[in-house]
Amino acid sequence: MKKIGHFISGKEEFENSNTIDLYNPNNAEIIGKVSLASPKIIDKAILSSVSALNEWKLFSISKRSSILFEYKVLLEKNINRIADIIGEDLGKVKDDAIGEIRRGIENVEYACGIGEILKGEYNKNISTSVDSWSEFEPLGVVLGVTPFNFPTMVPLWMFPLALAAGNSFILKPSEKDPLSTMFIAKLFNETGAPKGLLNIINGNKETVEKLIEDKRIRAVSFVGSTPVAKKIYENSGKYGKRCQALGGAKNHALVLSDANLEYTTNQLISAAFGSSGQRCMALSVAMVQRNIKDKFIEILKKKTNTLRVGFNIKDSNSFGPLVTLEHMEKVRDFIDMAESEGCEIIVDGRNINKGKNSNNGYYLGATIINNVKTNMTSYQNEIFGPVLQIIEVENMENAIEIINENRFGNGCCIFTSNGEYARKFSNNINIGMVGINIPLPVPSSFHSFGGWKESLFGDLNIYGPDGLRFYTQRKTITQRWPESKLSESNLDLSMPDNLN
């Protein structure tokens, strides 16, 4: 059985500490033991990060960029191996896992351009013989805490850009599926970067708390649920750290009567049930105009019933299991709750036929719930599973009001053939990421990812331009080289201005 330790200074570290079981969600078999970091290991990792930082700061921007490009090549060469590992402890089907890795590599590519995106700001002769400019300097040792649902992509949202900006990085992956995160850290160790520039600590919430308390950690990036995001944001502020904490979501799609229903239903099925619905951008609510609702449901139901759920190694499967038994039971409870609240379960995934070798896996099939009302508990919470809820709406104004009143503000989308409607929707919606005929409006690496309201705690989004600002601090320098005649001028104690 595998023992999963920690990755510090370029090698895996093991200790006689507490462990938790690591499961394969495809069949519920225990495949390893994950070590929970002791205070000694945490201190060792931080000391290693500080040492690597002191070496890394001497590397030129060009050298940093070269190392990150070297890393990008390693990721691409190992993409199939990484996808297989994701399937082993998360159960994600292979084509979905490959898509996750490729979206992560996009962020490495963005970080490779650090020489362009880290440029400062300069004004010559802003006052007589005075020049002023800004530089963006690294923070120091920074921490990333990542979720189970994207064990490769979300770390790649964080550490490549942080390292490109000149920081060192400590990563605490989810204890539910750390294998692929450990693997990509070991790949980075094959580059010419200093050992210890990227360290991995495994553990639980107590591990995260100890890391946040340490004054040597300068900033915290987090992606996970809203309650935990809020707690991490508050604790980071308590200990004087910069923090970006991305939380949960309840993402809505508005389907207008002029939408192309064949295209729209294909998009919604992919966005609702891909990755078993375990995405913070998963499409969980479809709001459909009354006059097309019956036709919409007829098409949606027929297509959904063709989905195949099962073992990750089967290419024919549409999606795999949920991550743990506890999570599967939680999602099932939400479906039961919706039924008890008066909803109609028009596609029921609670009793799917499981394939060979997956009888004990944590599987739920695609589920569609009709006649949902906004006062229902099942609507008001993030379900985070292969569940799509349907709300009937009269018009666009009704839909916009529903979305804006929801406590989450991560993503939403509209399906329409009318540009005027699309513009009105995007102008009036209070959501961080908006799609027009696109169900998963996840920005490219050249932009930044983040929601509003209870979906984001902090001022800066993750990756892209906001990510760079998060991992750097501004220093503004103002200089004058006085001419000899100015040295002999009269003493003046008045407040200096820029008009002289």
Side-chain angles (χ1 to χ4, degrees):
M1 184 175 294
K2 298 176 185 175
K3 185 174 181 182
I4 299 94
H6 318 279
F7 193 71
I8 302 172
S9 297
K11 60 182 181 180
E12 198 160 1
E13 295 270 352
F14 298 96
E15 59 176 346
N16 295 321
S17 63
N18 294 330
T19 62
I20 56 175
D21 291 334
L22 178 66
Y23 291 86
N24 182 336
N26 291 289
N27 52 28
E29 293 180 0
I30 298 175
I31 57 174
K33 298 283 186 180
V34 180
S35 298
L36 305 181
S38 67
K40 181 179 178 180
I41 280 288
I42 291 173
D43 186 62
K44 185 173 184 177
I46 296 174
L47 287 172
S48 169
S49 295
V50 170
S51 176
L53 175 69
N54 291 332
E55 184 179 351
W56 184 239
K57 66 174 60 173
L58 301 177
F59 281 51
S60 69
I61 287 177
S62 296
K63 182 62 175 175
R64 286 187 233 156
S65 178
S66 175
I67 287 170
L68 286 164
F69 190 83
E70 185 182 352
Y71 183 51
K72 164 187 143 60
V73 172
L74 286 168
L75 289 170
E76 289 171 337
K77 285 182 177 179
N78 287 274
I79 193 167
N80 283 294
R81 176 68 183 122
I82 300 168
D84 289 339
I85 297 171
I86 292 172
E88 185 179 2
D89 63 356
L90 178 56
K92 190 172 288 190
V93 295
K94 189 164 185 178
D95 58 347
D96 191 24
I98 287 174
E100 169 187 345
I101 301 161
R102 285 180 175 154
R103 288 306 297 262
I105 291 172
E106 287 179 14
N107 288 273
V108 182
E109 292 170 344
Y110 181 78
C112 287
I114 189 65
E116 176 65 26
I117 61 179
L118 195 60
K119 286 179 178 178
E121 303 156 355
Y122 183 86
N123 283 103
K124 183 178 181 180
N125 213 38
I126 199 167
S127 185
T128 304
S129 299
V130 175
D131 306 324
S132 185
W133 68 92
S134 294
E135 300 174 351
F136 297 96
E137 299 195 352
L139 301 175
V141 181
V142 295
L143 169 66
V145 182
T146 55
F148 73 82
N149 56 326
F150 288 103
T152 294
M153 183 182 75
V154 174
L156 292 176
W157 283 3
M158 297 179 183
F159 72 78
L161 191 54
L163 300 182
N167 302 282
S168 60
F169 203 94
I170 295 175
L171 180 58
K172 207 300 285 185
S174 171
E175 62 274 22
K176 297 182 177 72
D177 58 346
L179 296 182
S180 65
T181 314
M182 291 284 284
F183 185 82
I184 64 171
K186 292 174 181 178
L187 281 182
F188 185 78
N189 188 57
E190 296 179 19
T191 71
K195 306 306 180 190
L197 192 66
L198 172 64
N199 289 321
I200 305 287
I201 293 180
N202 282 303
N204 51 19
K205 65 178 183 179
E206 287 77 18
T207 309
V208 176
E209 289 170 358
K210 288 183 174 67
L211 285 163
I212 292 175
E213 290 171 7
D214 196 291
K215 64 182 181 181
R216 293 168 291 182
I217 303 290
R218 295 292 310 282
V220 181
S221 295
F222 171 83
V223 177
S225 68
T226 286
V228 180
K230 186 176 182 180
K231 181 69 173 177
I232 283 181
Y233 181 73
E234 291 171 347
N235 282 350
S236 296
K238 177 181 176 182
Y239 291 101
K241 302 184 195 310
R242 183 180 293 187
C243 182
Q244 53 180 186
L246 282 70
K250 194 77 174 184
N251 304 310
H252 297 67
L254 171 58
V255 183
L256 295 183
S257 57
D258 67 338
N260 181 323
L261 292 186
E262 291 295 333
Y263 171 83
T264 299
T265 49
N266 284 342
Q267 297 300 306
L268 294 188
I269 288 170
S270 175
F273 306 128
S275 298
S276 308
Q278 297 175 133
R279 295 170 174 158
C280 64
M281 288 295 283
L283 208 292
S284 52
V285 182
M287 298 181 297
V288 187
Q289 281 196 284
R290 180 176 299 159
N291 60 339
I292 61 163
K293 182 182 173 187
D294 290 344
K295 182 65 174 176
F296 170 83
I297 287 177
E298 178 187 346
I299 299 171
L300 184 73
K301 182 177 179 180
K302 182 179 179 180
K303 292 180 178 179
T304 301
N305 283 329
T306 67
L307 299 179
R308 295 169 61 90
V309 184
F311 216 56
N312 68 292
I313 60 174
K314 301 295 183 182
D315 293 337
S316 59
N317 286 328
S318 306
F319 59 88
L322 296 171
V323 64
T324 63
L325 176 63
E326 293 77 15
H327 187 58
M328 181 188 72
E329 291 174 343
K330 177 184 175 182
V331 175
R332 183 188 291 272
D333 287 346
F334 273 121
I335 301 171
D336 295 342
M337 179 189 299
E339 193 170 36
S340 69
E341 289 177 316
C343 296
E344 177 191 9
I345 313 298
I346 57 176
V347 176
D348 194 341
R350 288 173 291 186
N351 296 302
I352 61 168
N353 293 321
K354 300 177 182 179
K356 187 179 180 182
N357 300 322
S358 62
N359 287 334
N360 295 320
Y362 311 135
Y363 293 95
L364 276 177
T367 298
I368 301 175
I369 304 175
N370 191 23
N371 299 328
V372 174
K373 308 297 180 185
T374 58
N375 61 349
M376 294 177 174
T377 303
S378 56
Y379 165 78
Q380 294 170 350
N381 288 274
E382 181 179 35
I383 296 177
F384 218 64
V387 179
L388 178 63
Q389 298 174 292
I390 297 177
I391 296 177
E392 180 182 295
V393 294
E394 187 67 34
N395 51 46
M396 185 194 302
E397 290 73 20
N398 180 205
I400 289 174
E401 182 180 0
I402 289 172
I403 296 173
N404 287 345
E405 287 181 351
N406 193 275
R407 65 191 178 99
F408 297 109
N410 215 40
C412 68
C413 60
I414 182 172
F415 287 89
T416 180
S417 299
N418 188 302
E420 180 183 353
Y421 294 160
R423 188 176 183 85
K424 181 178 180 180
F425 180 83
S426 61
N427 285 345
N428 289 279
I429 211 73
N430 296 329
I431 299 293
M433 293 171 283
V434 180
I436 298 172
N437 297 319
I438 293 176
L440 295 174
V442 179
S444 75
S445 60
F446 303 104
H447 297 272
S448 296
F449 179 106
W452 291 5
K453 298 183 279 190
E454 291 189 34
S455 294
L456 174 68
F457 299 89
D459 296 328
L460 291 168
N461 291 352
I462 201 166
Y463 71 71
D466 272 18
L468 183 65
R469 291 294 179 261
F470 181 79
Y471 291 123
T472 57
Q473 52 194 345
R474 179 187 293 267
K475 177 185 287 183
T476 302
I477 302 167
T478 306
Q479 71 173 10
R480 167 184 279 160
W481 295 102
E483 299 174 12
S484 57
K485 64 179 181 179
L486 292 178
S487 302
E488 300 170 0
S489 61
N490 294 329
L491 184 65
D492 184 1
L493 298 188
S494 62
M495 179 67 183
D497 60 49
N498 293 324
L499 299 179
N500 296 312

